[in-house]
DNA sequence: CTGAAAGCGCTTACAG
DNA sequence: CTGAAAGCGCTTACAG
């Protein structure tokens, strides 16, 4: 079934010239006469010649493959980033190998290893939730260009591309304050989550800037932020003696859970309690009331990360240094905070 | 910056044995003495030896890379399939290169070409919406195992893995009939969509089986099925003199659009008009009322497609024949058809 | 049980 | 302008 493949050798034999000449002709080497070059190219086309990338990569120590490692491909935000990475890769002539860790640190390490072994030219990576020991990553970084995005770590001296979650949250909280909210709760993850912590810092700064006292009862954390947890933590918040008048959730999923619970208890949104999420996911326009949320421009992240990687592949850096690129983002105001004051 | 890499040669030199022996020791060749083998393996570990997969693949004409081509990675259904493909690939020792066509036929052809050139061992593919000329695919199929999933074509003699959309839709329509609906509308795509047509056949069969006359006014088609189109086509349907009492949409997105429009016009769901979608997407549980929908087991599709591909890679088939694997699926009944009769 | 050698398909410094 | 030859890192048939 499998067809015989055309090689340089075959073309050379038919044309009765050397393999070197064929190779050069096909690579537009200036030395080759126009005549020869044309002859070779015509025949190559006719025979559907396809260079064997393996031989080529092997020879040139460049594979034009980049590896991408992400925790979970099902996340819409991650998909958006991947989509842009694929596009940019194509534009720059790279193929993309994707691996998913499912937040398993052991797998993460293995995948990093496999990718290096495969000779990828560089790696784009979003850390798993539980990555504590960064040694495997440092080891990889020593061998090939590596760039982190979204889930990053300041223990790794490389380029890192993230959303400016601190400022974004700051703006979201100020928006709540502007519509008259004073008891603003936050549903976040535990401390080990870098993104959650940045957002929490924004929350704290906004309260401080506006002279609103911090009430620890309004700060609730969970290990795995999700729609369900959004529901249960909201139940917890509304059973407080002094209820919150707004809830900021560090993900849309949790915010949707919050909305569902508030509706169940007939609490008016946003009059009694306003809600803000983070992601601008598809769902945020499907829930009722429509969710105010922070945009998460995955496209920008993917674009910048990929372009940085291409640059580092082509011009390897001498010294490893941490360089964080923070992308500004916008608050998208919808019904869940739309108060006619 | 880049570290010196360990090769067989280096290990051989240090141990003062031949490269062949090192290679055999590492590959557990039975000939090698236990002692030598241990010595080699220990040193290899110590030096972090990683076989150069390019040299290996090049030598063995096997890359352990498979290519996946899909129209759009942002679709939740596609992501689910990809997730399972990645998992199965890992289990079977394959790496996965993913490309996205965005329904561009020209790109589809290029990607197919690039993948072959890259020496993938096999290809998993979901056709773009506009694929008419299947020659490039037939050409690829002649060179490497290729399996289609979800978006398939009966013009291509290969294994194809799909949802049984005909039966699924048949069941959905019978469910509507069982709750007393008689004027059942369908929102579908135009004829060139294979999946849409299969679902439409199920619709027709269900009506026929239950002696319900077909009313052409209740059959509406669009080129690009979407939430927006769900809205506008629903407006169209409810402006009919004889309104439908149920709407079946071939995607969840369109069904959500339908629900939004019905609510806007204060039409009761499901009492006045019931709605069913297709996908069991995340959104289907977020809309209110929650959407009755057909599950689309992406996991099963990914699993079966990948396993078929691995089989074909390991035991190439002699003759190319079409073989369609249809996966049964379930109706998930939620509020949008939950009538207390 | 081990080694020398050929070869996978390609590129490129060297020679002419 | 063109060719012969080496070499990328590995595997394996052949010989001992």
């Amino acid at each position: 079934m499998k067809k015989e493949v055309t090689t340089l050798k075959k073309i050379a034999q038919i044309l009765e010239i050397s393999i070197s000449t064929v190779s050069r002709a096909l690579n537009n080497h200036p030395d080759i006469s126009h005549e020869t070059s044309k002859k070779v190219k015509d025949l190559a086309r006719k025979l559907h010649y396809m260079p064997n990338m393996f031989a080529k990569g092997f020879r040139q120590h460049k594979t034009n493959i980049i590896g991408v490692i992400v925790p979970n491909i099902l996340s819409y935000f991650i998909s958006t980033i991947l989509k842009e990475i694929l596009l940019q890769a194509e534009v720059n002539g790279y193929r993309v190998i994707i691996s998913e860790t499912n937040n398993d640190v052991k797998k993460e390490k293995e995948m990093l290893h496999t990718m290096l072994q495969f000779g990828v030219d560089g790696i784009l990576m979003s850390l798993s939730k539980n990555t504590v020991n960064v040694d495997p990553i440092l080891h990889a970084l020593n061998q090939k260009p590596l760039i982190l995005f979204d889930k990053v770590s300041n223990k790794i001296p490389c380029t890192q591309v993230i959303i400016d979650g601190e400022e974004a949250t700051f703006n979201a909280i100020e928006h709540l304050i502007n519509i008259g909210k004073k008891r603003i709760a936050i549903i976040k993850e535990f401390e080990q989550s870098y993104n959650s912590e940045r957002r929490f810092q924004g929350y704290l700064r906004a309260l401080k800037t506006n002279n609103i006292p911090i009430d620890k009862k309004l700060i609730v954390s969970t290990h795995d932020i999700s729609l369900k947890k959004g529901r249960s933590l909201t139940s917890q918040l509304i059973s407080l003696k002094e209820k919150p008048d707004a809830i900021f959730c560090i993900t849309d999923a949790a915010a949707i859970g919050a909305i569902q619970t508030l509706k169940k208890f007939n609490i008016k949104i946003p009059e009694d309690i306003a809600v803000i999420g983070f992601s601008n996911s598809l769902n945020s326009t499907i829930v009722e009331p429509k969710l105010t949320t922070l945009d998460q421009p995955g496209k920008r992240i993917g674009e910048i990360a990929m372009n940085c990687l291409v640059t580092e592949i082509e011009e390897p850096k001498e010294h490893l240094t941490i360089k964080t690129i923070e992308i500004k983002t916008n608050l998208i105001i919808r019904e869940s905070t739309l108060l006619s004051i």
Side-chain angles (χ1 to χ4, degrees), chain A:
Chain A
M1 153 185 175
K2 304 307 161 204
K3 268 200 208 147
E4 203 179 326
V5 330
T6 308
T7 62
L8 291 189
K9 194 173 165 191
K10 198 162 160 193
I11 296 178
Q13 280 171 344
I14 298 178
L15 258 27
E16 295 184 309
I17 55 179
S18 77
I19 296 175
S20 332
T21 305
V22 177
S23 170
R24 282 191 272 248
L26 258 15
N27 289 309
N28 298 313
H29 191 101
D31 271 3
I32 302 297
S33 75
H34 183 73
E35 193 194 4
T36 311
S37 178
K38 188 173 175 340
K39 231 170 35 185
V40 171
K41 283 181 180 171
D42 284 350
L43 185 62
R45 193 170 9 251
K46 202 176 130 201
L47 264 37
H48 298 108
Y49 171 70
M50 294 197 281
N52 178 322
M53 297 309 281
F54 261 67
K56 209 165 175 167
F58 171 42
R59 182 64 228 267
Q60 300 184 145
H61 292 281
K62 178 130 199 300
T63 59
N64 279 293
I65 299 182
I66 65 144
V68 178
I69 300 177
V70 292
N72 180 10
I73 202 184
L74 286 186
S75 137
Y76 184 76
F77 175 52
I78 296 283
S79 299
T80 319
I81 298 177
L82 288 180
K83 192 182 179 77
E84 187 66 18
I85 289 176
L86 290 179
L87 179 64
Q88 294 296 327
E90 204 200 332
V91 169
N92 290 284
Y94 287 87
R95 246 64 45 194
V96 180
I97 290 187
I98 296 177
S99 280
E100 213 188 7
T101 62
N102 289 305
N103 287 311
D104 179 334
V105 179
K106 209 174 127 205
K107 272 205 181 177
E108 182 174 72
K109 185 179 165 183
E110 280 173 20
M111 282 162 179
L112 219 37
H113 187 263
T114 312
M115 292 207 166
L116 289 176
Q117 172 169 337
F118 237 89
V120 295
D121 290 339
I123 292 173
L124 247 32
M125 174 166 196
S126 186
L127 298 178
S128 112
K129 192 176 251 167
N130 317 304
T131 306
V132 183
N133 175 8
V134 297
D135 286 350
I137 298 157
L138 295 177
H139 178 250
L141 184 56
N142 259 318
Q143 309 202 25
K144 293 281 175 183
L146 183 152
I147 283 175
L148 292 176
F149 63 90
D150 190 36
K151 304 271 193 291
V152 303
S153 158
N154 48 26
K155 287 188 275 180
I156 304 170
C158 69
T159 301
Q160 322 208 350
V161 187
I162 51 172
I163 299 274
D164 189 345
E166 199 272 349
E167 197 194 273
T169 306
F170 179 87
N171 292 335
I173 303 297
E174 285 226 315
H175 166 64
L176 289 172
I177 294 168
N178 288 338
I179 61 169
K181 301 299 186 181
K182 299 206 154 48
R183 290 188 52 73
I184 301 169
I186 181 169
I187 295 182
K188 66 175 190 71
E189 285 184 295
F190 281 118
E191 289 68 31
Q192 81 281 5
S193 162
Y194 182 92
N195 280 333
S196 176
E197 273 311 288
R198 293 298 319 278
R199 292 170 198 183
F200 183 48
Q201 293 308 320
Y203 167 84
L204 293 176
R205 181 162 69 89
L207 293 188
K208 196 167 288 174
T209 306
N210 291 275
N211 299 311
I212 295 183
I214 285 152
D215 180 346
K216 285 205 174 146
K217 291 204 203 72
L218 296 180
I219 299 169
V220 293
S221 305
T222 169
H223 190 72
D224 57 319
I225 193 112
S226 65
L227 196 142
K228 264 193 187 165
K229 279 288 162 59
R231 280 191 206 149
S232 57
L233 293 174
T234 299
S235 294
Q236 185 183 316
L237 284 169
I238 58 177
S239 65
L240 287 175
K241 275 209 190 96
E242 295 184 277
K243 291 191 180 44
D245 54 14
I247 302 178
F248 174 78
C249 302
I250 64 149
T251 68
D252 274 2
I256 289 170
I259 287 180
Q260 290 177 341
T261 295
L262 294 178
K263 281 166 83 175
K264 195 171 122 197
F265 288 97
N266 289 314
I267 294 174
K268 278 192 200 142
I269 307 167
E271 291 80 1
D272 298 338
I273 299 185
V275 180
I276 297 188
F278 203 118
S279 275
N280 192 21
S281 62
L282 281 182
N283 290 332
S284 63
T285 62
I286 308 282
V287 248
E288 295 181 43
K290 296 203 176 94
L291 182 64
T292 292
T293 185
L294 288 150
D295 192 25
Q296 234 178 340
K299 206 162 131 52
R300 283 287 290 156
I301 294 194
E303 184 186 347
I304 294 179
M306 185 65 198
N307 287 333
C308 289
L309 186 64
V310 170
T311 307
E312 291 193 18
I313 289 172
E314 283 162 11
E315 305 154 20
K317 292 200 290 188
E318 280 309 304
H319 300 291
L320 297 176
T321 50
I322 193 163
K323 178 184 160 197
T324 306
I325 300 175
E326 289 193 290
I327 297 170
K328 300 290 174 202
T329 178
N330 297 315
L331 183 67
I332 298 171
I333 298 174
R334 299 209 189 93
E335 296 158 3
S336 72
T337 65
L338 212 59
L339 261 183
S340 27
I341 18 170

